[in-house]
Amino acid sequence: MNSEEFHFKKRYGQNFLKDDTIPKKIVEVSDILEDSLVIEIGPGAGALTKLLATKAKQVLAYEIDESLEEILDHELLEFLNVEVIYDDFLNRDIQQDLKKYTFSHLYVVANLPYYITTPIITKLIEDNLSIEKIVIMVQKEVADRFCAKPKTKEYGSITVYLNYYFHIKKEFFVSRNCFIPRPNVDSQIISFTKKDNLLPLKNRHLFFQIVRDSFQFKRKTLRNNLKKYDLNKIEEILKQYHLDLNVRAEELPLEVFVEIGNNL
Ligand code: SAM
């Protein structure tokens, strides 16, 4: 791609990988099995797409910026197993888009547009897609939050939400110097592998609401953040873990939130 001729759009989070080194490493850690379909969000100029196409049976890519069509057509000419849908990924019915393909394994591999990192991951979960593994590039600080352990300042409701569903692993660091244009932040490749046995939830919606409410004011205790729930019951549960209502949400592991959610 001739980067002098392309007008990068900041509003779409367009920072493209400069060479093949990072895409190669991303594909390596993705461990793509035979007979698989890989969803890519934001192929850009196709740096990662091309390598994914050599491993997967089919690549289904979503690109919001139609002005990339000519570049992508050229870059992907030799790959007959890539379909690019020019649309906003967040507005797509993915189940529907996948219907015309047959495959045994589903992956998501992408260098994400950072302005919508959380909405994209939330959609991947909420759309019930049976994804085996997600390998994505995110802003380094965001990766720290996703992988945070209790009792750290990075631990928040998004950590609990994602760790409910996935084993999350930091794969490798990517310097801001690997992109054109050079962004103001460094990046991290992380992988999400579905947990085989999800902790049973009586009411998924209520559970995640309690998690969000618990972290609403980070410096406040559960007594304050969960005022609208039955505090006596919550206190009883906390007691089993040798805790009380003066605890802050950042100190609670996933299991305690599940226990609280299932008893309210
Ligand atoms: N994969 C390329 C690479 O690694 O060089 C480009 C990655 S760039 C960080 C993010 C890409 O996502 C851009 O091509 C951008 O146009 C695209 N994008 C932004 N918002 C999108 C959306 N809502 N749906 C689909 N693609 C989007």
Side-chain angles (χ1 to χ4, degrees):
M1 175 198 155
N2 184 349
S3 53
E4 273 148 41
E5 279 171 21
F6 182 70
H7 177 68
F8 288 93
K9 297 173 192 72
K10 219 176 169 175
R11 69 177 184 284
Y12 288 152
Q14 288 180 344
N15 300 95
F16 294 176
L17 284 162
K18 271 205 280 205
D19 60 51
D20 268 1
T21 331
I22 304 297
K24 266 188 193 145
K25 281 176 81 176
I26 296 175
V27 172
E28 259 172 48
V29 301
S30 300
D31 282 330
I32 297 165
L33 294 172
E34 269 178 34
D35 198 32
S36 54
L37 186 144
V38 178
I39 294 176
E40 185 189 5
I41 301 132
L48 179 58
T49 325
K50 284 187 274 192
L51 295 184
L52 291 172
T54 62
K55 292 276 178 197
K57 178 177 170 191
Q58 179 69 39
V59 177
L60 176 59
Y62 294 89
E63 175 53 66
I64 200 169
D65 185 357
E66 284 178 30
S67 75
L68 284 163
E69 189 164 0
E70 212 179 312
I71 296 169
L72 279 171
D73 279 351
H74 176 75
E75 294 291 327
L76 302 172
L77 200 59
E78 63 184 284
F79 299 103
L80 302 176
N81 59 340
V82 180
E83 179 188 0
V84 183
I85 295 179
Y86 292 92
D87 199 356
D88 183 340
F89 174 75
L90 296 177
N91 292 339
R92 297 297 301 189
D93 180 343
I94 314 295
Q95 301 262 19
Q96 188 61 34
D97 293 340
L98 288 173
K99 269 194 180 140
K100 65 176 173 188
Y101 298 109
T102 54
F103 53 89
S104 310
H105 311 278
L106 180 61
Y107 298 78
V108 172
V109 183
N111 170 12
L112 291 187
Y114 291 174
Y115 72 107
I116 44 171
T117 299
T118 303
I120 288 175
I121 299 172
T122 308
K123 179 173 172 62
L124 293 173
I125 295 172
E126 302 292 326
D127 282 10
N128 260 325
L129 295 170
S130 285
I131 302 163
E132 228 149 278
K133 190 169 177 181
I134 302 175
V135 179
I136 47 174
M137 172 125 65
V138 300
Q139 187 179 325
K140 190 191 162 298
E141 291 71 17
V142 172
D144 290 343
R145 268 195 273 138
F146 290 175
C147 302
K149 298 279 173 258
K151 300 185 185 170
T152 62
K153 69 174 181 350
E154 289 81 16
Y155 189 71
S157 57
I158 189 76
T159 322
V160 179
Y161 177 71
L162 295 177
N163 282 273
Y164 175 76
Y165 292 102
F166 300 106
H167 297 290
I168 306 177
K169 184 174 164 213
K170 284 186 184 171
E171 297 286 355
F172 61 92
F173 171 86
V174 182
S175 154
R176 64 191 75 186
N177 297 322
C178 297
F179 300 89
I180 176 163
R182 184 178 180 272
N184 295 324
V185 293
D186 291 316
S187 295
Q188 179 83 40
I189 299 290
I190 50 175
S191 63
F192 296 66
T193 322
K194 248 198 177 140
K195 288 188 174 170
D196 285 335
N197 297 311
L198 294 185
L199 296 168
L201 287 180
K202 281 190 190 153
N203 180 338
R204 213 169 63 100
H205 180 76
L206 173 68
F207 168 71
F208 289 119
Q209 189 57 51
I210 290 170
V211 173
R212 271 195 301 275
D213 289 340
S214 301
F215 283 95
Q216 195 192 5
F217 301 103
K218 274 202 99 173
R219 302 308 306 155
K220 288 198 172 174
T221 62
L222 281 205
R223 188 193 306 284
N224 285 307
N225 279 336
L226 297 184
K227 265 204 272 268
K228 65 179 179 194
Y229 301 94
D230 183 341
L231 283 176
N232 289 332
K233 270 205 179 139
I234 297 175
E235 192 171 28
E236 254 172 54
I237 295 154
L238 290 171
K239 247 192 207 155
Q240 296 166 22
Y241 295 88
H242 310 289
L243 296 165
D244 60 40
L245 285 168
N246 296 321
V247 74
R248 293 199 182 98
E250 67 192 32
E251 293 172 58
L252 301 185
L254 173 64
E255 303 72 50
V256 180
F257 284 111
V258 170
E259 193 70 20
I260 294 174
N262 283 345
N263 285 284
L264 290 181

